[in-house]
Amino acid sequence: MKIFAVENIRLADLYTIQNEPVSSVQLMERASSLCAEWIFSNCKHHTKFAIFCGNGNNGGDGFAIARMLYLKGFDIEVFINKEQLKFSDESLINYKRLKDISGISLRDFNETLRYNFDEKTVLIDALFGTGLSRKPEGIFKKVIDVLNSKNNPKISIDIPSGLFTDQINDKISTIFKADYTLTFQFWKKTFLHPETGSFAGKVIVLDINLAQEFIENTPTDDFVIDDEVILNIFKVRQDFAHKGTYGKSIIVGGSYGKIGAVVLATKSTLKTGSGLTFVLAPNCGYEILQTSVPEAMFIDGGEKNIRQIKDQENTVFGIGPGLGTEKETEKALLEFLENHQSPLILDADALNIISKDKSYLKLIPKKSIITPHPKEFERLFGKTKNSFERLDLAKTKAKELGIYIVLKDHHTQVVTPEGTVFYNITGNSGLAKGGSGDVLTGIITSLLAQKYTEEEATILGVWLHGKAADFAAEKYSTEAMQPTDVIDEIGNVFLYLNKKATTQL
C-alpha cells in the first residue's frame, strides 16, 4: 500500500470527484458511512456518543456520522464551536442536515469543560483533519486537553486532531489521544513512527474507493507492507525440488556465554526453509548447537570466541548473533569482509565491531543487509533527534553505501539503496525481548539463500517475523511469548501464505 503526503491525498480526492464522477459531499457520505458501520459493529456495548466537530471537512464527517448513528438508534450529542459557525461548504451541508433532527443535542465546546461524561459514552474526535498545519490553540486546545483527561473510549476520524500527517509535532503540541483511528484509504506517515503513532491507537484503514488510476500512477517513496505486497513476493515451494534448490546458509556467531543467540538465528534459518544450513561458532558451543539444532552442520570457528571466518562460494552469510566484540573476533570479521564480495546480513555484534571505526563501513559488500536497532544505528551513523531524522539519515546512508538498512522499531522500516521505504505493520510489543533480532537475522538469511532478491528478502523477512510474533501473542500473550515461540509460529505463517497464494490462482 502506498503512503501519500497530504497534498497527494487531497489530489486523490479531487481526481476521484472529477473522474468517477462523484460530488465532494457524496464522497464525504461514503467515508462517513464506512465509519458509522465500523462503529456500529464494534461499539455495541455503548449506547451514547459525544461527537466533537470542527469547521472543516473533518467536522463534516463528524456531522454525517452523528446523523447515521442516531438513525441506528444511538443517543448522540454533538459539540461545536457556537462562536464560530463558518463551515466549509461540505461541512455546512451536513451541519444543516443534522440540525433538522430534533433528537440530537447540539452543544457548545465550552460545555465540554464542565460536562460530566458517562463512563460508557464514546468520544469521537472530528475536529481537525489531515490539512492541519499548526498546533491547536484556544478553545480547541482546551477541548482536546479535557477529552484526553477522560477515561472514555476514544475514536478519531481520519487522523487524531492536532497530529500532523507527514512530520513530527512540536513536543508541546496538544494532540487528541485516540484508542482507535478510522482513517481513509491510506496509512499516514505519522501513524508509523513511535513519537506520533501512539496518538493514533489501533489504526483501521477504510477503503473509500478513491480512484485506482490516480493511486497507481502517482509515485511515492513510502509504502506499507501489506498482504498484497507480500503475495507479490512470496514464492510457493516447488514439488520437484531438492535441498540445493533452496540455497546454502551459514550463520556466524556465538561466543562463550552467548551461544543462545546463534541457536535462535540458526533455528529460524532452518524454519524459514533454507536448503542447507551451517552454523560457524566457537567450539564451546558445539554440544549445545548439535543438540539444539541437529539439522544444521557445525563449522569450527575457534575455542571460546570466533577467530576465523572462511569464505565459501554460493553461500549466504548471516553474521552477528552472540558474536562478541573481542579483538580476535574483530580481526576475523574484518579480514572476511575485505575478501567477501557477495551480499550478506550483518546484525548485533557484527555491527558493533563495524561501528568502532567509520572506515569499516566501506567494507560492507554492496546490496548487503544490516539490521540495527536504534542504539546500534546510532553507534554506526551518529545521533538523531527523533525517528524521522533517523529515517532520513538511514536513507542517506543506504544510498551512500549501496546497502539495505532494516531499522528495527515498532513499525520496522526497510530502507533501500534507491531511497524507498517500506514500513512493516505486523508484530507487537512481545518482540521487545532479547533474542528477537537474532530470529530476524536467521529469517532474512534463509530467504536470501533461497534466491529472493535483497529487497524481497528484507520485506518478506520483517513481515514474516512480525506475523509469527502476532500468532505467538495470540497464544501466549505479548508478556509471556518468547523468541522461541516466534520461531515455532513461522510454519503457521507459511500455511497462511500458501493458502492465500493458492486461493488467488
Side-chain angles (χ1 to χ4, degrees):
M1 178 188 290
K2 290 182 174 180
I3 301 172
F4 282 151
V6 65
E7 178 58 18
N8 277 338
I9 294 173
R10 187 188 69 80
L11 291 174
D13 285 348
L14 185 61
Y15 187 95
T16 303
I17 290 166
Q18 293 173 344
N19 290 274
E20 188 169 333
V22 60
S23 73
S24 56
V25 173
Q26 288 171 330
L27 188 59
M28 180 179 286
E29 194 79 358
R30 185 189 298 175
S32 301
S33 177
L34 288 170
C35 289
E37 287 299 327
W38 187 93
I39 293 167
F40 176 72
S41 298
N42 291 276
C43 300
K44 290 185 176 180
H45 297 298
H46 301 273
T47 59
K48 190 171 183 179
F49 294 84
I51 304 178
F52 298 80
C53 299
N55 297 68
N57 282 1
N58 195 245
D61 292 327
F63 292 139
I65 291 166
R67 167 170 43 87
M68 294 171 186
L69 291 178
Y70 176 78
L71 294 175
K72 290 180 181 293
F74 293 102
D75 293 331
I76 306 296
E77 292 188 316
V78 174
F79 291 76
I80 60 174
N81 183 10
K82 289 187 175 181
E83 295 179 5
Q84 175 54 269
L85 294 178
K86 185 177 181 181
F87 300 103
S88 67
D89 292 342
E90 294 81 5
S91 184
L92 181 61
I93 290 170
N94 274 312
Y95 173 67
K96 288 179 177 177
R97 289 174 178 172
L98 192 72
K99 283 187 68 179
D100 290 338
I101 301 174
S102 59
I104 296 178
S105 300
L106 273 172
R107 297 182 177 275
D108 185 66
F109 280 165
N110 283 311
E111 294 184 63
T112 309
L113 309 183
R114 57 183 180 277
Y115 195 87
N116 186 25
F117 294 101
D118 179 276
E119 62 181 16
K120 286 197 172 183
T121 298
V122 178
L123 308 181
I124 297 181
D125 156 40
L127 294 169
F128 298 113
T130 56
L132 185 70
S133 58
R134 57 190 176 90
K135 60 186 180 183
E137 298 173 341
I139 188 62
F140 292 99
K141 179 184 184 306
K142 291 178 181 179
V143 167
I144 294 172
D145 285 338
V146 169
L147 298 182
N148 281 343
S149 71
K150 305 295 182 183
N151 291 323
N152 300 67
K154 300 179 182 70
I155 298 172
S156 281
I157 305 303
D158 202 19
I159 191 169
S161 289
L163 186 65
F164 297 153
T165 305
D166 307 318
Q167 65 191 47
I168 193 166
N169 289 69
D170 186 297
K171 285 185 178 180
I172 59 172
S173 290
T174 295
I175 304 170
F176 185 85
K177 190 166 177 55
D179 298 304
Y180 293 89
T181 296
L182 310 183
T183 197
F184 303 137
Q185 200 73 45
F186 311 105
W187 280 79
K188 278 63 174 178
K189 189 172 182 177
T190 48
F191 295 170
L192 296 160
H193 285 259
E195 300 91 343
T196 48
S198 59
F199 291 98
K202 183 173 177 57
V203 175
I204 309 297
V205 181
L206 301 175
D207 185 351
I208 61 172
N209 290 320
L210 294 183
Q212 281 300 120
E213 183 179 14
F214 178 90
I215 295 171
E216 291 171 4
N217 294 333
T218 303
T220 180
D221 289 331
D222 298 322
F223 297 83
V224 162
I225 304 172
D226 56 14
D227 280 12
E228 183 180 357
V229 170
I230 293 303
L231 289 170
N232 284 329
I233 292 173
F234 175 63
K235 302 170 186 175
V236 175
R237 207 167 177 92
Q238 299 302 306
D239 292 334
F240 292 94
H242 53 82
K243 60 189 178 184
T245 306
Y246 294 105
K248 180 179 177 181
S249 307
I250 297 182
I251 297 296
V252 181
S255 54
Y256 186 79
K258 295 181 181 179
I259 299 301
V262 78
V263 169
L264 291 171
T266 307
K267 279 187 173 183
S268 63
T269 303
L270 289 161
K271 204 77 170 180
T272 307
S274 171
L276 287 165
T277 303
F278 293 77
V279 54
L280 193 161
N283 278 325
C284 65
Y286 173 77
E287 291 184 2
I288 297 171
L289 285 157
Q290 289 292 76
T291 304
S292 302
V293 280
E295 302 91 343
M297 290 160 277
F298 184 86
I299 301 172
D300 177 8
E303 286 304 315
K304 289 191 174 183
N305 303 292
I306 288 178
R307 301 174 67 95
Q308 61 177 352
I309 306 171
K310 290 184 179 179
D311 203 355
Q312 296 190 32
E313 292 183 356
N314 302 315
T315 301
V316 174
F317 284 80
I319 307 177
L323 186 68
T325 58
E326 288 75 9
K327 283 291 183 184
E328 60 212 30
T329 304
E330 178 180 335
K331 183 173 181 290
L333 175 63
L334 297 177
E335 287 178 354
F336 173 80
L337 291 177
E338 284 174 355
N339 297 295
H340 186 79
Q341 301 299 316
S342 303
L344 47 69
I345 296 87
L346 296 169
D347 182 36
D349 282 335
L351 299 179
N352 291 330
I353 288 171
I354 290 170
S355 70
K356 290 181 179 182
D357 188 326
K358 296 299 184 282
S359 66
Y360 295 165
L361 287 165
K362 295 178 182 178
L363 297 176
I364 301 175
K366 298 295 183 186
K367 301 181 77 175
S368 289
I369 300 162
I370 67 171
T371 60
H373 59 56
K375 273 297 179 184
E376 289 166 345
F377 182 87
E378 182 181 303
R379 286 193 284 268
L380 285 166
F381 301 118
K383 290 186 177 183
T384 53
K385 293 179 182 177
N386 52 61
S387 67
F388 289 80
E389 283 194 6
R390 184 170 67 235
L391 178 58
D392 288 339
L393 180 57
K395 290 169 73 172
T396 299
K397 293 301 179 181
K399 289 181 182 179
E400 182 183 303
L401 297 170
I403 62 174
Y404 292 82
I405 300 178
V406 176
L407 280 174
K408 290 186 286 199
D409 211 328
H410 178 61
H411 292 300
T412 291
Q413 299 126 52
V414 173
V415 184
T416 75
E418 296 75 33
T420 306
V421 178
F422 294 88
Y423 289 88
N424 186 46
I425 54 173
T426 60
N428 55 72
S429 61
L431 286 171
K433 297 183 177 79
S436 296
D438 304 317
V439 175
L440 178 61
T441 296
I443 290 172
I444 297 175
T445 301
S446 182
L447 293 171
L448 197 56
Q450 293 174 63
K451 303 300 186 293
Y452 285 94
T453 67
E454 291 78 17
E455 183 170 304
E456 290 171 342
T458 51
I459 293 170
L460 178 56
V462 298
W463 180 91
L464 177 62
H465 183 240
K467 193 72 171 179
D470 289 339
F471 284 2
E474 287 178 9
K475 286 186 177 181
Y476 305 111
S477 80
T478 55
E479 292 83 2
M481 61 178 274
Q482 296 298 310
T484 47
D485 299 322
V486 176
I487 295 171
D488 290 341
E489 291 299 323
I490 291 173
N492 288 324
V493 180
F494 279 123
L495 288 173
Y496 169 87
L497 281 177
N498 276 285
K499 185 177 181 180
K500 284 264 190 180
T502 53
T503 301
Q504 288 191 343
L505 295 178

